[in-house]
């Protein structure tokens, strides 16, 4: 038998390994060849861990510079919208961000997509708010990172480059607001932060990813079928303030006086993060009846993290006004709050609000 010489072995190994090495690093991948100009993608930086460098936060411009090879995928533009932790963003800033995005798409027909950086803690809230209020089918991609720029293994630049690639990708159109971290594309409506520290924290649980960002291309496997962005009926162009909606967690022995206090402080809606499929505890039922008596909407969601609340009367609300009781369907409590806030800008009709919860 002929013996393989060492030099042949090296050549063989190189041929086998090289494509895999290329795949491992999105920055080194060549984009698809195209005669059309490079897509124009704009970054709106809002802050968060992705820019939270020790000694001073990264600016939008520094974030752009952190991505080697960006010019292979997009012509970048950028602006600093804010530079704070995600949980510090105000509802007024949400309104301004949605209006800014709508204005950019309106004023610049050449703009292919927008990337928004955000802290990860409440990223899913900002993303779902935009999912309901952006008036374009062009991609809006929300990106963050779990490790800050001063940490070994900072993944922010890789996530941001993935975000730009997704925003530049024509197949991203019409899929609602997208959340991109860890090489995965999730729907803003479905995704949630599931782990305080790990990189794979953003999950859509039972529904799974919409697609992935690989070295060779952006790949989609499915698209959301609920109403969003261009098909949304919500219009924040002239809304100065969103109605107050609070979230109440159900736990054993919970008291209803918290709910009463929320109502007395001006809440127009309350989302119950119920146990299981609608159960409340302690004297929460009394608090909910107090809310109903004051004309405050109560939306039942589940604290379980997945599953659906069907439209039917929860026992704790048996004596309350039926049209004020809404089922959250499969929306997480914090997202049910966002939908209820927007719903209340359109109507005070419970049947209409329930219709919205079945569609968005
Ligand atoms: N955990 C980050 C967030 O969700 C906060 C880090 C920061 O201060 O930017 O925004």
């Amino acid at each position: 038998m002929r013996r393989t010489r060492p030099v042949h072995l090296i050549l063989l190994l190189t041929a086998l390994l090289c494509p895999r090495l290329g795949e491992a690093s999105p920055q080194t991948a060549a984009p698809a060849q195209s005669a059309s100009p490079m897509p124009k993608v704009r970054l709106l930086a809002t802050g968060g861990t992705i820019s939270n460098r020790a000694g001073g936060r990264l600016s939008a411009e520094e974030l752009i510079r952190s991505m080697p090879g960006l010019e292979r995928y997009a012509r970048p533009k950028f602006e600093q919208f804010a530079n704070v932790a995600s949980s510090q963003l105000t509802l007024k800033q949400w309104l301004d961000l949605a209006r800014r995005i709508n204005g950019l798409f309106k004023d610049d027909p050449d703009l292919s997509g927008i990337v928004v950086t955000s802290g990860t803690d409440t990223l899913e809230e900002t993303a779902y708010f935009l999912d309901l209020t952006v008036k374009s089918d062009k991609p809006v991609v929300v990106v963050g990172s779990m490790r800050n720029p001063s940490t070994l293994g900072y993944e922010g630049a890789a996530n941001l480059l993935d975000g730009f690639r997704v925003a530049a990708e024509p197949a991203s159109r019409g899929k609602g607001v997208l959340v991109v971290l860890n090489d995965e594309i999730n729907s803003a409506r479905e995704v949630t932060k599931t782990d305080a520290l790990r990189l794979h924290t953003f999950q859509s649980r039972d529904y799974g990813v919409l697609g992935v960002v690989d070295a060779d291309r952006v790949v989609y496997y499915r698209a959301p079928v609920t109403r969003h962005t261009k098909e949304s009926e919500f219009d924040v162009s002239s809304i100065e303030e969103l109605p107050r909606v609070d979230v109440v967690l159900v736990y054993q022995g919970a008291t209803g006086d918290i709910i009463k206090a929320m109502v007395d402080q001006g809440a127009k809606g309350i989302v119950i993060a119920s146990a299981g499929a609608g159960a409340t505890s302690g004297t929460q039922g009394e608090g909910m009846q107090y809310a109903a008596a004051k004309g405050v909407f109560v939306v039942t969601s589940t604290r379980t993290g997945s599953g659906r609340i069907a439209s039917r009367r929860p026992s704790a609300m048996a004596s309350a006004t039926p049209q004020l009781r809404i089922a959250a369907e499969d929306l997480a409590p914090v997202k049910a709050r966002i939908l209820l806030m927007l719903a209340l800008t359109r109507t005070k009709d419970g049947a209409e609000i329930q219709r919205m919860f079945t569609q968005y």
Side-chain angles (χ1 to χ4, degrees):
M1 197 172 80
R2 244 180 84 193
R3 283 187 58 196
T4 311
R5 292 170 59 188
V7 66
H8 291 151
L9 258 180
I10 289 166
L11 285 172
L12 183 67
L13 279 172
T14 308
L16 282 172
L17 284 176
C18 272
R20 288 166 194 267
L21 290 173
E23 280 169 20
S25 166
Q27 291 91 334
T28 60
Q33 293 300 311
S34 161
S36 52
M38 200 58 84
K40 194 196 285 183
V41 176
R42 191 174 188 95
L43 168 67
L44 270 65
T46 77
T49 298
I50 193 167
S51 56
N52 193 9
R53 180 184 51 189
R57 288 175 179 270
L58 295 179
S59 65
E61 185 171 5
E62 287 171 312
L63 284 171
I64 293 287
R65 289 210 190 113
S66 74
M67 291 177 280
L70 173 60
E71 68 286 349
R72 299 179 189 181
Y73 302 103
R75 278 181 292 150
K77 303 275 172 194
F78 60 88
E79 67 186 70
Q80 194 77 52
F81 178 84
N83 210 341
V84 297
S86 60
S87 56
Q88 297 305 309
L89 282 174
T90 64
L91 301 188
K92 170 80 168 60
Q93 283 174 306
W94 274 3
L95 291 166
D96 289 343
L97 184 60
R99 283 193 280 259
R100 178 67 184 144
I101 290 170
N102 287 332
L104 286 166
F105 281 135
K106 194 164 170 240
D107 296 345
D108 186 357
D110 285 344
L111 190 59
S112 294
I114 290 177
V115 174
V116 177
T117 52
S118 167
T120 57
D121 292 346
T122 58
L123 181 152
E124 68 211 60
E125 295 177 51
T126 305
Y128 185 54
F129 180 77
L130 296 177
D131 196 49
L132 297 176
T133 54
V134 166
K135 295 285 179 200
S136 171
D137 64 356
K138 290 183 178 178
V140 174
V141 183
V142 187
V143 171
S145 74
M146 293 300 289
R147 294 178 179 154
N148 72 50
S150 312
T151 308
L152 195 61
Y154 170 62
E155 87 286 21
N159 288 348
L160 195 53
L161 185 60
D162 283 353
F164 267 81
R165 291 179 58 198
V166 171
E169 167 59 51
S172 300
R173 287 179 79 133
K175 292 191 169 62
V177 172
L178 303 165
V179 173
V180 171
L181 283 93
N182 210 29
D183 300 338
E184 293 176 338
I185 309 166
N186 282 283
S187 157
R189 182 187 186 277
E190 297 162 355
V191 78
T192 192
K193 186 174 183 178
T194 64
D195 190 292
L197 294 174
R198 304 279 87 85
L199 300 190
H200 61 270
T201 180
F202 280 91
Q203 302 289 329
S204 292
R205 296 205 165 108
D206 292 346
Y207 300 145
V209 298
L210 298 182
V212 293
V213 190
D214 279 342
D216 60 331
R217 67 187 178 99
V218 173
V219 189
Y220 282 101
Y221 298 106
R222 66 181 186 90
V225 295
T226 50
R227 284 177 75 175
H228 55 71
T229 54
K230 213 176 160 193
E231 305 305 322
S232 169
E233 68 204 88
F234 305 115
D235 178 3
V236 295
S237 57
S238 56
I239 291 176
E240 282 311 309
E241 198 179 356
L242 290 163
R244 174 170 169 170
V245 174
D246 291 310
V247 179
V248 175
L249 184 66
V250 172
Y251 46 88
Q252 288 191 352
T255 58
D257 49 8
I258 309 285
I259 300 172
K260 291 180 185 172
M262 289 169 173
V263 171
D264 291 344
Q265 288 302 311
K268 299 290 181 274
I270 289 170
V271 174
I272 307 289
S274 75
T280 56
S281 186
T283 56
Q284 285 181 317
E286 288 169 25
M288 291 159 77
Q289 284 171 22
Y290 182 84
K294 301 271 180 179
V296 171
F297 285 92
V298 176
V299 173
T300 301
S301 62
T302 178
R303 69 174 203 182
T304 55
S306 61
R308 178 172 168 260
I309 302 294
S311 178
R312 62 183 161 79
R313 181 179 300 193
S315 57
M317 293 287 288
S319 62
T321 321
Q323 70 269 18
L324 294 170
R325 299 175 217 156
I326 310 294
E329 292 283 334
D330 62 338
L331 277 183
V334 290
K335 291 181 184 171
R337 170 187 179 245
I338 293 166
L339 181 54
L340 182 58
M341 283 193 293
L342 288 167
L344 289 171
T345 66
R346 307 277 303 173
T347 183
K348 302 290 180 285
D349 179 339
E352 260 297 275
I353 295 175
Q354 187 63 70
R355 192 254 318 150
M356 292 169 181
F357 272 85
T358 61
Q359 293 183 342
Y360 290 91

